[in-house]
Amino acid sequence: MQLDSSQNAVPRAPLFSILWTFLKLGCTSFGGPIAHIGYFRHEFVEKRKWLDDNSYADLVALCNFLPGPASSQVGIALGISRGGLPGGFAAWLGFTMPSALALIAFAYGFTAFGVSADAGWLHGLKIVAVAVIAQAIWGMGKSLCPDRFRATLAIAATLIVFLWPTAWGQILAILIGGLAGWHYLEPVLLHRPENARFPVSKQAAAVSWILFWGLLLALPALAYAINDHALAIFDSFYRTGSLVFGGGHVVLPLLRNEVVPPGWVNDDVFLAGYGAAQAVPGPLFTFAAYLGTVNALEPNGFAGGLLALVAIFLPSFLIVVGALPYWESLRRKTQVQSALRGINAAVVGLLLAALYDPVWTSSIRNTGDMALALVAFGLLMYWKLSPLYVVVITAIGGAALAALPGLI
């Protein structure tokens, strides 16, 4: 695959630097995909200035349209923007490795250490997601919804998702935002387009689409014709990663249908792993590593976990590489830019809806939780503390609230 010559328009970053940056995020990004969007914005929009809010919201909107885990796809695209295809792989590896290894360790008997899903410090890690997403909404709202019309679009998107709380509700909100922007917002030129260049050629995109569709169509036939469990695992997890919209928790019932009925994993083991997946940072798709490890048939263990992990994420990588060059061409047209301004406002509304459900509803149970969330928000927003330190402080605060239930 050849990189596009446009890569020279953007400063390149060393692959190790990309890997290390995303590895730190993979160790600290608790709270699910919407929280990951907030962590990425803090790191790459506010801190590193890799791109501005408009370009970042464009990318988030694109990944919400694509099947697969949206936050991981945003991370892959960000890695590509500074390191080409190897940079995209380094970003995925860094962001995915911590949670994948943690879940494989759990599968090997991590419960022997007595970690409970109800531990106070784990609940504190859920609370920090409230602060991270609130900070992202505050910053993106000021830049992407600066007028009455776009603020109204954001609120409308929130209401649509409340009424239709599925991935299709999110897509409908984005479509309505795009149509409204196209018709009612004046065309504008890109703001600092050099900040959002993705060095992928259309030839590389074509190869990615051929691989994506070829594997999706060929693997089921090969798995049926060849009695090989490794091939069956790869087919099941690849197909799940290719066809799920919305990512995150949406993938869980699909994975259960793939592994429980054929007897690869029983329901008790599946649910135990699901509980562990809530307690680790990074993408929920790494639950596949746990399922591959506890698989009743060989390959299992570490090899099975790695096989399932690669299979479920491979479609995301191929889809992102296949989409980016065409997205770059589209987003440079002035009429598309008008639509994107409406879409960006809708993305703020999607974040606002997610801040309430599932983040707020699963994290804020009493005034003590609310107080801790406010402290975390203040540390991020006004003290400009690194999210890494805020995560540690909030985990300690959650443990303190659990130990002293009458504190607040």
Side-chain angles (χ1 to χ4, degrees):
M1 295 186 187
Q2 297 295 318
L3 293 179
D4 199 334
S5 61
S6 65
Q7 61 183 310
N8 296 325
V10 177
R12 304 275 290 189
L15 288 181
F16 179 78
S17 174
I18 296 173
L19 175 65
W20 179 245
T21 300
F22 278 91
L23 182 63
K24 289 189 291 184
L25 287 166
C27 291
T28 57
S29 296
F30 293 89
I34 302 298
H36 301 162
I37 299 299
Y39 283 105
F40 288 164
R41 180 185 175 276
H42 179 275
E43 184 70 27
F44 300 110
V45 177
E46 293 187 347
K47 182 179 176 182
R48 297 181 180 269
K49 311 294 184 186
W50 281 15
L51 68 175
D52 57 27
D53 261 329
N54 290 279
S55 300
Y56 183 65
D58 291 351
L59 183 60
V60 172
L62 168 65
C63 294
N64 272 286
F65 270 114
L66 301 175
S71 61
S72 294
Q73 290 168 328
V74 170
I76 290 169
L78 289 169
I80 289 173
S81 74
R82 282 302 190 273
L85 300 182
F89 177 77
W92 171 80
L93 183 64
F95 188 58
T96 305
M97 189 183 349
S99 57
L101 292 178
L103 289 173
I104 289 174
F106 180 84
Y108 272 109
F110 191 62
T111 49
F113 291 94
V115 175
S116 168
D118 296 323
W121 64 273
L122 289 179
H123 185 66
L125 297 178
K126 293 181 182 180
I127 292 173
V128 77
V130 176
V132 169
I133 298 171
Q135 183 198 30
I137 293 170
W138 185 279
M140 294 178 74
K142 287 195 297 183
S143 61
L144 303 180
C145 305
D147 51 62
R148 183 167 54 189
F149 181 77
R150 280 178 282 179
T152 302
L153 284 180
I155 294 171
T158 304
L159 296 178
I160 289 170
V161 175
F162 283 163
L163 291 171
W164 195 5
T166 66
W168 296 109
Q170 295 179 14
I171 291 174
L172 176 63
I174 290 173
L175 286 173
I176 291 175
L179 289 172
W182 190 4
H183 283 286
Y184 297 109
L185 294 175
E186 293 181 2
V188 294
L189 294 175
L190 277 175
H191 180 62
R192 298 197 306 169
E194 70 277 4
N195 275 13
R197 300 298 296 273
F198 301 95
V200 179
S201 68
K202 291 187 176 180
Q203 291 83 358
V207 171
S208 290
W209 284 121
I210 291 170
L211 286 172
F212 171 76
W213 288 108
L215 289 169
L216 185 61
L217 297 174
L219 282 172
L222 287 173
Y224 180 79
I226 303 173
N227 186 22
D228 182 79
H229 188 59
L231 186 59
I233 290 175
F234 196 89
D235 168 45
S236 291
F237 285 90
Y238 182 88
R239 190 164 9 93
T240 300
S242 300
L243 301 178
V244 60
F245 281 88
H249 297 274
V250 181
V251 77
L252 294 173
L254 298 178
L255 284 176
R256 184 189 177 282
N257 289 339
E258 292 292 335
V259 300
V260 174
W264 298 353
V265 176
N266 67 46
D267 248 332
D268 290 339
V269 174
F270 184 91
L271 291 174
Y274 171 66
Q278 310 306 305
V280 298
L284 191 60
F285 267 49
T286 54
F287 184 39
Y290 167 85
L291 294 175
T293 304
V294 298
N295 201 329
L297 304 175
E298 293 186 353
N300 49 28
F302 186 83
L306 184 62
L307 179 66
L309 183 73
V310 170
I312 201 168
F313 276 104
L314 180 58
S316 295
F317 197 91
L318 294 175
I319 290 170
V320 168
V321 172
L324 283 177
Y326 302 101
W327 181 243
E328 277 292 279
S329 300
L330 279 174
R331 68 188 292 273
R332 294 179 187 282
K333 299 182 184 299
T334 55
Q335 287 187 321
V336 174
Q337 273 297 303
S338 292
L340 286 173
R341 292 169 73 198
I343 288 172
N344 292 345
V347 168
V348 175
L350 299 186
L351 290 173
L352 186 58
L355 175 61
Y356 174 71
D357 186 15
V359 178
W360 185 285
T361 56
S362 64
S363 303
I364 307 300
R365 303 177 299 194
N366 51 45
T367 55
D369 291 347
M370 183 64 191
L372 189 56
L374 285 172
V375 169
F377 180 77
L379 293 174
L380 286 169
M381 191 73 192
Y382 301 108
W383 288 82
K384 307 299 182 184
L385 211 59
S386 166
L388 174 60
Y389 298 119
V390 177
V391 165
V392 174
I393 291 169
T394 313
I396 295 172
L401 289 175
L404 303 169
L407 189 61
I408 294 184

